[in-house]
Amino acid sequence: MIEIWDNYNKQWLEPMAIFFDREGNPWKVSACSPGADPLSDGWYDLQGDDLMQVGIKGEVTYNSELLPG
């Protein structure tokens, strides 16, 4: 299970896709709010500076210092 924490909006997101660069680092995350229609306003495409505000926990760990207690 992979969990995504949006530290900017202080909410958990459900992963839709995680894209990696050649070094294996995430460069883009597509996610949606829990229970939201992925094609509605609950959709998030996070990359660049926005990706720096996201923590990922599970099979992939990224920015774990941003995750809530």
Side-chain angles (χ1 to χ4, degrees):
M1 174 180 210
I2 295 176
E3 297 178 289
I4 297 174
W5 174 253
D6 176 359
N7 199 51
Y8 181 77
N9 293 306
K10 307 294 187 211
Q11 66 178 341
W12 288 101
L13 299 173
E14 294 178 351
M16 303 300 291
I18 301 173
F19 301 88
F20 298 91
D21 63 16
R22 291 178 189 245
E23 289 79 40
N25 301 309
W27 69 268
K28 180 179 176 183
V29 171
S30 296
C32 68
S33 299
D37 178 359
L39 301 178
S40 72
D41 293 334
W43 179 269
Y44 295 87
D45 270 330
L46 306 161
Q47 58 187 23
D49 290 339
D50 291 335
L51 190 57
M52 300 309 292
Q53 294 298 316
V54 171
I56 301 173
K57 180 173 98 173
E59 298 298 318
V60 174
T61 302
Y62 176 75
N63 284 345
S64 58
E65 69 277 4
L66 298 177
L67 298 169

